[in-house]
Amino acid sequence: MGNLWEETAGEPALDAPPLQAEVEADLAIIGGGFTGAAAALWAAGQGARVVLLEAARIGHGGSGRNVGLVNAGLWLPPQDVMDTLGAEAGARLNAALAGAPELVFGLAERHGIACEPVRAGTLHCAHAPAGLAELRRRAGQLHAVGAPVRLIGAEDTAARTGASGLAGALHDPRAGTVQPLAYARGLARAARDRGALIHENAQVISLNKQNGSWHVRTAAGKAVAPRLLVATNAYHVPFPGMAVPRTARLSYFQLATAPLGAAEGAALLPGGEGCWDTGLVMTSFRRDASGRLILGAMGLPERGGRALHHGWARAKLARLFPALSGAAFDHAWSGWIAVTEDHVPRILRPARGALAVFGYSGRGIAPGTLFGQAAARALLDGNESALPITPVARYGESATLTRSLYYETGARLVHAWQRLRGA
């Protein structure tokens, strides 16, 4: 069982050989996920010379392992963001991210990206009555900033999801779903079509600044540019010349059924929404263009965790969708999420002419696209005022490994307990 997105991506893998020469550019980008590819596309569209270096393949990291939910905003609700950043800075970030799904779907349409875009909204589902109280709190905060969300009851939620046992849901019509790997590939393909140099299997081995330009070295080549964007996020591999702060990481796994027939699938998410719940250890579910049911959750299905997490998933599927009890999963994959201490992404300015973006905390598609475009613009025109969040010269977190272990331990304990009671 492998990654479904790799099998079904409408955008083919790019033919992007490793960097094997010295190239000069206006902007060098390290990382070929949503952030890096969106930055390359925007900069190339402005006529800038761009080189993007990806250590593996475009979308290899979290971008190609994503659930595919295109959400407006962060994991934190708006007032919590303002409490964390301050009223003015938080309002600026909230306003920018409110329009991020429009940016994603607009790029997909404009550049003909074959990423199965469905703009039917998302449903944040209450896994229990306590979860419904949390959704009411979120709805109040979202309404206060003008978000067109609507709280629906248990009966309406059951009709819209086909799922059992949910106490209600918060519908956000601004949001939707995409095939995430295809979207990442499509951004990179569109950037290449506009002249950007895209190089895969181009692991950066060192970095230094000479005479006002960054010299980015790979095993067989070098890129030289006065401006640099590091967009490696949870998959950053350290290299000499620049220290990118560590954050905690959590693993998120997904399993997909075979395409469901008309009879068994007709009642499941008939409107095409993507869903996630309010559980302490979050669960997501959605369908793809072929009608598969995709179930995801926090947890590392390795190092002894596979049997536990996959066993929980089979029980959870049967509890949410009794008609699918016993249905087999034919795809399974997982990816890492970079989680900052306060769940707010960061832009680091490690030196003049360089930015590093990281820490989307599970909201990579729309924020990553927005941050990538904004970072490219700020680097090229030298004006940081349009960035969604103010860059910092220094950033550090403590106990990142301990927090990572805490997330996985919590996921295993919760999944073991839920499995015992039938998920």
Side-chain angles (χ1 to χ4, degrees):
M1 295 194 294
N3 186 338
L4 172 67
W5 305 137
E6 292 179 357
E7 182 177 309
T8 64
E11 289 280 341
L14 274 69
D15 180 13
L19 179 64
Q20 296 183 344
E22 180 173 328
V23 298
E24 294 188 359
D26 300 307
L27 173 64
I29 300 169
I30 303 173
F34 302 131
T35 303
L41 175 55
W42 188 90
Q46 305 305 304
R49 297 174 301 165
V50 180
V51 58
L52 184 152
L53 305 174
E54 162 56 43
R57 303 298 300 272
I58 294 297
H60 166 79
S63 297
R65 305 161 192 266
N66 197 284
V67 176
L69 303 182
V70 185
N71 283 303
L74 297 175
W75 177 254
L76 297 177
Q79 185 59 52
D80 291 9
V81 174
M82 291 188 281
D83 292 343
T84 299
L85 295 179
E88 183 176 348
R92 182 177 72 178
L93 180 58
N94 287 332
L97 292 176
E102 181 68 36
L103 174 62
V104 170
F105 290 111
L107 287 171
E109 181 177 4
R110 190 176 313 124
H111 298 289
I113 299 175
C115 60
E116 304 175 13
V118 178
R119 198 166 188 183
T122 53
L123 290 166
H124 191 179
C125 300
H127 74 293
L132 189 58
E134 168 61 16
L135 291 185
R136 289 195 182 98
R137 185 180 80 89
R138 286 177 176 265
Q141 292 193 23
L142 287 161
H143 288 152
V145 297
V149 299
R150 185 169 71 92
L151 194 63
I152 61 177
E155 185 176 345
D156 197 2
T157 300
R160 295 181 73 152
T161 63
S164 302
L166 300 175
L170 188 63
H171 179 246
D172 189 340
R174 302 170 296 177
T177 61
V178 295
Q179 210 276 22
L181 178 58
Y183 176 63
R185 286 178 177 175
L187 291 174
R189 183 261 303 161
R192 185 187 60 186
D193 291 347
R194 281 149 186 78
L197 301 177
I198 309 292
H199 294 284
E200 296 179 320
N201 298 306
Q203 173 68 54
V204 173
I205 59 174
S206 70
L207 174 71
N208 62 79
K209 196 171 187 181
Q210 303 174 22
N211 301 320
S213 288
W214 295 97
H215 292 241
V216 189
R217 298 180 185 274
T218 67
K222 180 171 71 171
V224 180
R227 303 164 188 88
L228 173 71
L229 174 62
V230 180
T232 47
N233 203 26
Y235 285 77
H236 181 73
V237 177
F239 48 78
M242 180 178 292
V244 175
R246 291 179 178 272
T247 66
R249 298 196 308 174
L250 67 83
S251 177
Y252 201 88
F253 70 91
Q254 297 179 78
L255 301 102
T257 68
L260 302 177
E264 59 184 342
L268 306 186
L269 295 167
E273 301 93 342
C275 305
W276 78 102
D277 72 9
T278 54
L280 179 62
V281 176
M282 189 188 84
T283 302
S284 63
F285 55 95
R286 57 163 294 191
R287 297 185 72 181
D288 73 349
S290 297
R292 297 176 178 86
L293 194 288
I294 304 166
L295 181 74
M298 294 166 54
L300 179 64
E302 300 171 15
R303 305 170 193 168
R306 179 185 175 89
L308 170 61
H309 292 312
H310 285 200
W312 166 87
R314 288 188 288 271
K316 184 70 172 182
L317 183 72
R319 183 172 180 180
L320 279 174
F321 306 104
L324 298 183
S325 180
F329 294 113
D330 61 7
H331 290 82
W333 66 103
S334 64
W336 291 105
I337 296 171
V339 184
T340 58
E341 287 180 314
D342 57 14
H343 302 288
V344 174
R346 290 294 185 274
I347 301 177
L348 177 72
R349 189 197 315 105
R352 185 175 180 180
L355 294 174
V357 183
F358 55 89
Y360 296 118
S361 300
R363 290 291 178 96
I365 299 178
T369 302
L370 176 73
F371 273 61
Q373 283 200 356
R377 179 178 179 180
L379 286 165
L380 289 174
D381 67 17
N383 182 3
E384 297 179 347
S385 63
L387 286 169
I389 192 170
T390 301
V392 294
R394 296 180 184 83
Y395 182 78
E397 296 187 358
S398 60
T400 56
L401 178 58
T402 300
R403 286 171 47 225
S404 299
L405 291 172
Y406 167 78
Y407 292 135
E408 178 56 24
T409 301
R412 292 191 183 199
L413 290 173
V414 169
H415 284 170
W417 176 69
Q418 290 183 345
R419 188 178 178 186
L420 285 173
R421 55 190 291 269

